[in-house]
Amino acid sequence: MQPADKLTLYEQLEALPEGLTGEILNGQLHTQPRPIGPHARAETELSIDIGSAYGRGRGGPGGWWILVEPEIHFVTDQEVVVPDLAGWRKERMPRIPEGHRFEVVPDWVCEILSPSTASKDREVKLPLYAHYGVAYAWLVDPKRRTLEAFALDAGAWRLLTEASGTDTIAVAPFDALGLDLSNLWS
């Protein structure tokens, strides 16, 4: 039992002031402020494009839940990540949980890189996603105007594509969608 004045990491995460997002990665609490404009723009546009085609089946096959900043508990209250976007095939997660804890490993995650989070996203979170079996991960860099897509292959990330600028791409797991990258950049 914790002493009365000693909060668990998850209690510390829950107590963060408004405007900060917290994650527990490898036993450490990490915080970051709300995203800056270019980050928010890329996140919103991806959510609209992928969510319409794969979430709602408009111009794509449907069959997915696409969510913005879900709190994923790989280990309840101990290993907690908040990707910018995450997706689950509805056959693996038929319903969205009632609470804020998502305990089903996503099929896809996307991190939008910011100068303050890029190294954490690449060096800490990508290995965690691989460890827990996330099948696909995308890294989007609004400053460089790039998208890197990875697939998990025998426990390691394999680069599927790196696209940039105004490219239009179709890449797993959303390869039925022609994604126009120019929409992501402000």
Side-chain angles (χ1 to χ4, degrees):
M1 184 168 206
Q2 294 290 326
D5 60 343
K6 178 76 170 153
L7 297 177
T8 67
L9 281 177
Y10 193 75
E11 289 168 336
Q12 292 174 46
L13 183 146
E14 286 184 311
L16 290 173
E18 190 173 329
L20 284 181
T21 300
E23 301 174 293
I24 301 171
L25 309 172
N26 299 322
Q28 294 184 342
L29 179 62
H30 294 259
T31 63
Q32 64 267 349
R34 303 300 306 152
I36 61 174
H39 178 125
R41 164 84 185 200
E43 180 178 69
T44 299
E45 293 300 323
L46 279 170
S47 174
I48 291 168
D49 289 347
I50 295 170
S52 290
Y54 281 82
R56 293 186 169 186
R58 294 180 182 162
W64 286 70
W65 300 114
I66 305 297
L67 300 174
V68 175
E69 298 182 10
E71 185 176 292
I72 299 166
H73 288 244
F74 290 131
V75 179
T76 304
D77 295 351
Q78 295 178 36
E79 196 74 72
V80 181
V81 298
V82 181
D84 293 305
L85 294 162
W88 292 261
R89 296 176 197 276
K90 289 181 180 178
E91 63 208 28
R92 289 191 54 250
M93 188 173 78
R95 288 184 304 279
I96 293 178
E98 291 294 319
H100 66 278
R101 289 174 176 89
F102 287 75
E103 296 181 342
V104 175
V105 173
D107 295 292
W108 167 80
V109 294
C110 178
E111 295 291 355
I112 314 294
L113 305 179
S114 295
S116 62
T117 65
S119 64
K120 176 182 67 170
D121 290 338
R122 284 186 184 280
E123 297 164 20
V124 179
K125 292 176 80 173
L126 268 182
L128 278 175
Y129 293 142
H131 177 77
Y132 288 102
V134 176
Y136 296 95
W138 289 8
L139 297 177
V140 174
D141 188 335
K143 186 175 181 178
R144 292 180 47 230
R145 297 182 177 203
T146 60
L147 183 150
E148 298 167 81
F150 300 91
L152 193 60
D153 187 2
W157 292 115
R158 176 175 48 87
L159 181 65
L160 297 174
T161 192
E162 184 171 1
S164 63
T166 60
D167 292 349
T168 297
I169 62 167
V171 63
F174 306 118
D175 43 356
L177 172 67
L179 184 64
D180 180 357
L181 295 185
S182 65
N183 291 330
L184 305 183
W185 326 126
S186 55

